[in-house]
């Protein structure tokens, strides 16, 4: 059996700057991280942010129109999260997330607010996961203990051997999170066939919604699919921000193999969405007769093989999630 000791500090960082600095340094907290609960077993650490403790109701229609809205707490989730944190510390099985490199991907340690994955990596670590970089060139393979392979916005094509190793990882029940690189939308990565086999389509085109944008190529959406990944967002009436999304959806049923994984759209533009696939002369424009307009355009999709359809992925369930934006 294992013994867990609970230690804590609750104080004012301005009144006790020395102690606050030690806590921040010891737990590698970023400058924007505050108001959180840290569970420390001595060998593992789980962090729970204040923003995770409650569910809120909000008037999203008013928010989309730029109006002030009243936000009310609808549920307290602290007990569930604290129990989960303690359970994670009590187990010796530490989840392992691997960040792929070698193709101009974004870095897990990069704090760039547009292309960096520092915050996402810290979220994984706060849930007691181990994060490490890997490469698949040469004789390198996906580590046997890797449970999540993150491919953060590749800008160079994959070698056939690398694609084979990713496919083998999925066939063994692994999970892959792929963020598409909007900086090189027309580049063929060499994984298009694998995506198609999983029922996912990621054509070289941008998704846009001029009625729901914060400017530039960005898209704001509340059009979320029915899936365990999006269920918490739907319950909290959240909206997602995509910095410069590419199209990322599912193949039509008639184009999928009979034994293809179950594929679901996770997020799409609103009904005024459109695609843009003309990249000539350094600009992005609509190709008449090819691009779509006046309909929801998918920007993220998930496919899974094994387990029970519509349920959260459990042991033995392979899952691929493709997001049309490398920003997280």
């Amino acid at each position: 059996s294992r013994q867990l000791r609970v230690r804590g500090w609750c104080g004012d960082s301005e009144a006790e700057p020395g102690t606050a600095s030690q806590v921040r340094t010891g737990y590698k907290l970023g400058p924007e991280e505050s108001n959180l609960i840290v569970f420390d077993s001595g060998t593992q650490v789980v962090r729970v942010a204040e923003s995770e403790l409650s569910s809120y109701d909000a008037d999203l229609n008013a928010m989309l129109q730029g109006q002030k809205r009243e936000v009310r707490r609808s549920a307290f989730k602290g007990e569930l999260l604290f129990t989960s944190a303690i359970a994670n510390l009590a187990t010796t099985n530490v989840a392992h997330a691997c960040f792929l490199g070698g193709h101009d991907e974004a870095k897990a340690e990069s704090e760039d607010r547009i292309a960096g994955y520092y915050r996402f990596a810290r979220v994984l670590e706060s849930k007691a996961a181990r994060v490490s970089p890997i490469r698949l060139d040469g004789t390198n393979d996906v580590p046997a203990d890797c449970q999540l392979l993150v491919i953060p916005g590749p800008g160079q094509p994959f070698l056939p051997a690398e694609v084979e190793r990713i496919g083998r990882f999925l066939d063994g029940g692994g999970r892959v999170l792929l963020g598409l690189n909007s900086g090189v939308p027309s580049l063929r990565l060499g994984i298009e066939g694998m995506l198609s086999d999983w029922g996912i389509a990621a054509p070289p085109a941008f998704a846009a919604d001029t009625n729901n944008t914060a400017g530039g190529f960005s898209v704001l959406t509340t059009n979320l699919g029915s899936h365990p990944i999006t269920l918490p967002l739907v319950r909290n009436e959240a909206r997602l921000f995509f910095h410069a999304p590419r199209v990322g959806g599912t193949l039509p049923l008639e184009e999928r193999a009979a034994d293809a994984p179950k594929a679901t759209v996770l997020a799409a533009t609103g009904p005024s969405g459109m695609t843009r696939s003309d990249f000539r002369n350094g600009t992005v424009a609509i190709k008449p007769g090819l691009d779509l307009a006046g309909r929801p355009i998918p920007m993220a999709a998930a496919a899974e093989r094994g387990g029970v359809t519509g349920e959260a992925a459990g042991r033995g369930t392979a899952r691929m999630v493709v997001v049309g934006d490398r920003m997280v």
Side-chain angles (χ1 to χ4, degrees):
S1 63
R2 302 181 65 200
Q3 291 185 345
L4 298 178
R5 292 186 302 169
V6 179
R7 294 179 296 176
W9 173 72
C10 179
D12 187 332
S13 59
E14 295 184 0
E16 302 178 70
T19 303
S21 177
Q22 291 178 4
V23 171
R24 285 193 173 279
T25 302
Y27 291 113
K28 300 179 181 179
L29 301 179
E32 76 286 351
E33 294 182 277
S34 61
N35 298 331
L36 47 79
I37 299 94
V38 179
F39 295 83
D40 186 350
S41 69
T43 58
Q44 297 182 56
V45 174
V46 176
R47 302 199 296 261
V48 178
E50 179 188 33
S51 59
E52 298 178 272
L53 296 178
S54 301
S55 296
Y56 296 91
D57 291 329
D59 184 353
L60 283 182
N61 290 327
M63 180 172 63
L64 288 173
Q65 296 171 12
Q67 302 173 5
K68 292 184 178 180
R69 71 198 190 284
E70 183 179 5
V71 179
R72 298 179 179 179
R73 186 169 72 177
S74 59
F76 178 69
K77 301 184 293 184
E79 182 178 356
L80 174 64
L81 292 171
F82 297 164
T83 302
S84 176
I86 294 172
N88 285 334
L89 294 178
T91 181
T92 57
N93 298 321
V94 179
H96 186 194
C98 301
F99 280 70
L100 184 61
H103 316 89
D104 290 341
E105 291 94 344
K107 307 297 184 184
E109 64 272 18
S110 172
E111 297 187 48
D112 186 299
R113 296 189 65 85
I114 300 300
Y117 271 63
Y118 176 83
R119 295 178 66 185
F120 180 53
R122 299 294 81 75
V123 168
L124 293 175
E125 291 178 340
S126 74
K127 304 307 177 186
R130 179 165 60 95
V131 173
S132 62
I134 68 167
R135 293 176 66 104
L136 294 179
D137 50 1
T139 60
N140 298 314
D141 207 340
V142 180
D145 65 343
C146 179
Q147 288 140 311
L148 172 64
L149 177 61
V150 182
I151 309 177
Q156 296 294 331
F158 294 84
L159 297 172
E162 295 176 309
V163 178
E164 180 183 355
R165 288 162 185 159
I166 296 172
R168 191 163 57 242
F169 171 71
L170 284 165
D171 290 341
R175 287 80 186 269
V176 170
L177 172 60
L178 168 63
L180 298 176
N181 191 331
S182 58
V184 285
S186 60
L187 175 70
R188 291 190 62 83
L189 292 171
I191 59 175
E192 290 78 9
M194 180 174 66
L195 296 181
S196 180
D197 289 342
W198 277 74
I200 292 179
F206 282 99
D209 189 343
T210 55
N211 288 341
N212 296 284
T213 180
F217 289 94
S218 68
V219 174
L220 298 168
T221 185
T222 59
N223 187 6
L224 306 178
S226 178
H227 192 278
I229 291 176
T230 54
L231 182 58
L233 299 173
V234 173
R235 285 177 174 170
N236 291 314
E237 296 185 316
R239 67 172 177 172
L240 297 183
F241 172 84
F242 289 80
H243 178 254
R246 287 177 50 181
V247 176
T250 60
L251 286 173
L253 289 174
E254 62 271 16
E255 296 183 21
R256 303 183 205 175
D259 60 346
K262 304 296 183 181
T264 306
V265 172
L266 298 178
T269 68
S272 59
M274 66 185 72
T275 64
R276 295 171 177 169
S277 60
D278 190 342
F279 309 119
R280 294 174 297 178
N281 303 320
T283 62
V284 180
I286 294 175
K287 280 187 178 180
L290 178 63
D291 280 311
L292 306 174
R295 65 182 68 182
I297 303 299
M299 299 179 292
E304 53 201 41
R305 175 184 285 132
V308 179
T309 303
E311 297 294 332
R315 185 176 298 277
T317 302
R319 173 175 286 171
M320 176 185 288
V321 175
V322 177
V323 181
D325 204 334
R326 67 174 176 176
M327 178 182 178
V328 294

